[in-house]
Amino acid sequence: DAGVIQSPRHEVTEMGQEVTLRCKPISGHNSLFWYRQTMMRGLELLIYFNNNVPIDDSGMPEDRFSAKMPNASFSTLKIQPSEPRDSAVYFCASSLWGADTEAFFGQGTRLTVV
Amino acid sequence: AQTVTQSQPEMSVQEAETVTLSCTYDTSESDYYLFWYKQPPSRQMILVIRQEAYKQQNATENRFSVNFQKAAKSFSLKISDSQLGDAAMYFCAYRGYGNKLVFGAGTILRVKS
């Protein structure tokens, strides 16, 4: 398996534009997580899905952020409109269901909003 | 809500020496798992070690070991015989049976030669 695949690796956009980040989890994994990493706040959990259903989105910072998982092999995180303070590295991770299971991370998307 | 706290933003260690990274967490659950992940400059996240809360024995993986104190809700990582390749950001993480995986803010580890 190729691991968790995120695209794009880098994104530079202007303030006010819509940004869509994409994630393909490892085949067979039924849990998917979206994180945002900044120096100030570390690795923040934004939202997670079990069996394609959003379970906890309490970490989503504002209504400008939304996430979907239309099927087991694809998820998106959308920011509309984007702001400079959204600049960060966004990670997607997937795992099997279970507290003991290892979460596997994608390489992340570095988002810069200018 | 479960929270994870890493109080050391940055640590340094001399090559071949031992270093301990601290982590505390808060939860009302009785069973859960704790993890340490390593993030080198490549941004890749690598699982270092995991510990089940019901196991009293501290987990060990080669040069990496943990000191798990359940009553104190403390989960520190000890790296023995530090190597230059250990330099990275280290994250402590909590996962309960609701499947939520929560991380601390991270500790940057620098290894001096």
Side-chain angles (χ1 to χ4, degrees):
Chain A
D1 201 312
V4 177
I5 299 173
Q6 290 187 246
S7 63
R9 289 291 305 276
H10 304 275
E11 177 80 36
V12 180
T13 190
E14 291 185 346
M15 183 173 62
Q17 296 298 304
E18 176 180 297
V19 175
T20 299
L21 311 181
R22 297 172 175 79
C23 175
K24 177 179 168 52
I26 291 173
S27 177
H29 282 187
N30 48 13
S31 296
L32 184 138
F33 305 82
W34 281 102
Y35 293 91
R36 178 172 67 176
Q37 183 176 11
T38 60
M39 286 302 297
M40 292 295 293
R41 303 172 73 102
L43 206 55
E44 298 175 272
L45 176 63
L46 301 177
I47 185 171
Y48 76 100
F49 297 82
N50 285 336
N51 294 318
N52 313 337
V53 176
I55 303 301
D56 186 338
D57 66 354
S58 59
M60 297 286 262
E62 303 171 31
D63 291 345
R64 298 184 296 106
F65 286 69
S66 62
K68 293 182 180 179
M69 192 164 186
N71 57 61
S73 58
F74 185 66
S75 177
T76 59
L77 178 67
K78 185 177 293 186
I79 308 172
Q80 164 64 18
S82 58
E83 296 183 3
R85 60 194 166 118
D86 301 331
S87 297
V89 179
Y90 291 81
F91 284 98
C92 173
S94 73
S95 77
L96 295 170
W97 172 277
D100 63 326
T101 62
E102 179 180 355
F104 292 84
F105 283 73
Q107 286 290 86
T109 295
R110 180 175 293 281
L111 173 65
T112 304
V113 183
V114 298
Chain B
Q2 296 85 13
T3 58
V4 177
T5 302
Q6 294 179 250
S7 59
Q8 305 156 317
E10 195 169 320
M11 293 283 284
S12 291
V13 63
Q14 199 70 34
E15 202 175 1
E17 297 293 309
T18 295
V19 65
T20 299
L21 308 184
S22 301
C23 173
T24 59
Y25 58 95
D26 190 26
T27 183
S28 58
E29 296 179 311
S30 59
D31 199 15
Y32 45 85
Y33 278 77
L34 298 163
F35 303 83
W36 280 97
Y37 279 81
K38 171 185 178 181
Q39 186 184 47
S42 66
R43 288 206 317 239
Q44 183 183 7
M45 291 285 282
I46 303 164
L47 177 64
V48 174
I49 199 165
R50 83 186 83 189
Q51 172 84 39
E52 182 180 7
Y54 262 103
K55 287 189 177 176
Q56 292 187 338
Q57 185 175 5
N58 289 322
T60 299
E61 290 286 344
N62 300 313
R63 297 183 296 108
F64 298 86
S65 61
V66 300
N67 183 5
F68 173 50
Q69 303 289 330
K70 190 173 184 180
K73 294 181 181 173
S74 170
F75 182 60
S76 61
L77 175 69
K78 186 171 83 170
I79 306 174
S80 304
D81 186 25
S82 296
Q83 301 174 359
L84 294 176
D86 295 333
M89 175 84 86
Y90 286 82
F91 289 98
C92 178
Y94 171 101
R95 193 167 189 182
Y97 280 86
N99 214 32
K100 188 173 182 177
L101 179 59
V102 179
F103 286 83
T107 297
I108 297 171
L109 177 65
R110 303 192 192 282
V111 181
K112 301 176 184 176
S113 58

